[in-house]
Amino acid sequence: MTAQLPLDWGKLRRTSILLTGACGLIGSFLIDVLMCRNRLAGEKITVCGVTRNEKKARERFAPYLGEGLSFLEWDVTKPCPKEGAAFDYIIHGASNTHPLAYASDPVGTIGGNILGLWHLMELAVSHLPRRLLLLSSVEIYGENRSGKDSFSEEDLGYLNCNTVRAGYPESKRLSESLCQAFYDQYGVEFVTARLSRVYGPTMRMEDSKALSQFIKNAVRGEDVVLKSEGNQYYSYTYVADAVYALLLILLKGESAEAYNVADEGSDITLRDLAGLLAGQAGTQVVFQVPDSGEKKGYSTATRAILDAGRLKELGYRSLYPIGTGIAHTVSILREIGLR
């Protein structure tokens, strides 16, 4: 259980956290962990979860209401309705994070990343928090043309900015630059987590990422549909490992530094990943040509492996290699039923 892992929990005791993206795959799991920690150790952590649908959030987190969890209904592309509010920590996880959204809402994708962070930084300048944590992405690295096996935090690959699909990685790159600017000019402490492709049972059902589609196929006992040759070689992270890494970075990371979040036990080709899910379902992998709308949102990166050596120096160790994480995800979603 992530809430019992060795962390400097004392730094979170009696603190307040503002979390955007509270109902997302990662944000919702993070809330579960923090509320469980309160129950286990009486940390008295308070979390204000930012959501665009408070009713839905209250339904999802009903067991924790009255235990330090509250919600703020806020579209982060607009100024914060709680101007001047003070928090000990700010975590920015609100973002469009799947291909159909990149293609159908490119302006919203960029706005959520850039305007959302800008408004949080304005809030931070008015009352400096201990630290802001930015959830960035493997996608900032672009296409690996260097011949290196993996990306370290100092590397940068190729991106064609003159495409609609580039809105997501380019705005993530600019988000990191914004953090550096506010740190240098206004003293806003921050750290950045560059997440590999994250999956888990808290995924949203509208998620159109390839792995999320494979998982839904497997849970429903369907053939797993692969819409490419499947040669893409990527790093993946189970959501529990990702949240553990985020907390380590928040509490132990060096100010103004970025940390890759990945595990070599979860580096796999898309074809092998599809086969793994088909094995869980007892079905087979079938190939299908994507439609133009789907293809428009696909990443063009063929190899995106992250070197997480810097994160390991903070004490990080993955508990869920890809086979274990996939099995957990499918089992839990079968048990609770797809929503």
Side-chain angles (χ1 to χ4, degrees), residues 14-248:
R14 297 181 184 276
T15 61
S16 59
I17 300 172
L18 180 67
L19 169 65
T20 70
C23 290
L25 185 158
I26 296 172
S28 59
F29 196 93
L30 178 56
I31 288 175
D32 286 332
V33 169
L34 294 174
M35 294 300 102
C36 283
R37 183 66 191 180
N38 278 348
R39 291 180 175 183
L40 287 170
E43 302 289 5
K44 296 188 177 179
I45 303 164
T46 61
V47 178
C48 179
V50 174
T51 175
R52 285 186 288 187
N53 188 330
E54 185 173 353
K55 181 176 182 294
K56 183 177 179 180
R58 285 182 168 277
E59 291 172 354
R60 163 63 174 84
F61 298 106
Y64 306 130
L65 297 177
E67 297 183 17
L69 178 62
S70 62
F71 294 101
L72 173 62
E73 192 167 273
W74 172 30
D75 177 350
V76 295
T77 64
K78 308 292 193 301
C80 181
K82 293 183 71 172
E83 184 179 352
F87 296 93
D88 295 301
Y89 296 100
I90 297 174
I91 302 174
H92 185 36
S95 179
N96 283 343
T97 56
H98 62 98
L100 284 180
Y102 304 151
S104 64
D105 185 23
V107 173
T109 297
I110 294 171
N113 290 336
I114 302 303
L115 294 176
L117 178 61
W118 189 283
H119 294 138
L120 288 172
M121 281 297 188
E122 288 182 325
L123 192 66
V125 169
S126 70
H127 193 289
L128 291 177
R130 297 185 189 180
R131 178 164 277 186
L132 180 144
L133 170 63
L134 172 68
L135 273 59
S136 189
S137 168
V138 59
E139 294 224 21
I140 65 107
Y141 290 110
E143 177 63 60
N144 187 343
R145 295 185 174 181
S146 68
K148 295 178 64 174
D149 290 336
S150 59
F151 289 116
S152 71
E153 288 83 356
E154 285 73 35
D155 293 323
L156 195 63
Y158 169 77
L159 271 176
N160 178 6
C161 64
N162 194 30
T163 65
V164 169
R165 178 57 175 77
Y168 179 74
E170 289 284 11
S171 58
K172 283 295 189 182
R173 282 183 174 182
L174 182 54
S175 294
E176 295 196 18
S177 296
L178 269 177
C179 284
Q180 292 288 348
F182 274 89
Y183 174 69
D184 182 75
Q185 191 165 341
Y186 296 107
V188 178
E189 286 275 337
F190 81 96
V191 280
T192 298
R194 293 177 181 163
L195 292 152
S196 61
R197 288 162 170 82
V198 180
Y199 68 95
T202 50
M203 60 183 253
R204 299 172 73 112
M205 290 304 106
E206 65 268 26
D207 192 333
S208 60
K209 290 193 290 288
L211 177 50
S212 300
Q213 297 302 307
F214 297 168
I215 290 169
K216 285 185 276 190
N217 291 150
V219 171
R220 292 166 177 158
E222 303 167 346
D223 288 338
V224 175
V225 180
L226 181 59
K227 298 187 177 183
S228 70
E229 293 182 358
N231 296 324
Q232 302 94 320
Y233 187 39
Y234 296 154
S235 294
Y236 294 87
T237 307
Y238 183 61
V239 65
D241 281 337
V243 166
Y244 177 42
L246 293 179
L247 290 170
L248 267 176

Side-chain angles (χ1 to χ4, degrees), residues 231-274:
N231 296 324
Q232 302 94 320
Y233 187 39
Y234 296 154
S235 294
Y236 294 87
T237 307
Y238 183 61
V239 65
D241 281 337
V243 166
Y244 177 42
L246 293 179
L247 290 170
L248 267 176
I249 294 166
L250 178 69
L251 299 175
K252 293 185 66 176
E254 186 176 342
S255 292
E257 288 293 341
Y259 293 83
N260 287 340
V261 178
D263 163 49
E264 62 269 19
S266 296
D267 296 340
I268 190 171
T269 65
L270 201 59
R271 182 191 301 112
D272 289 342
L273 190 54

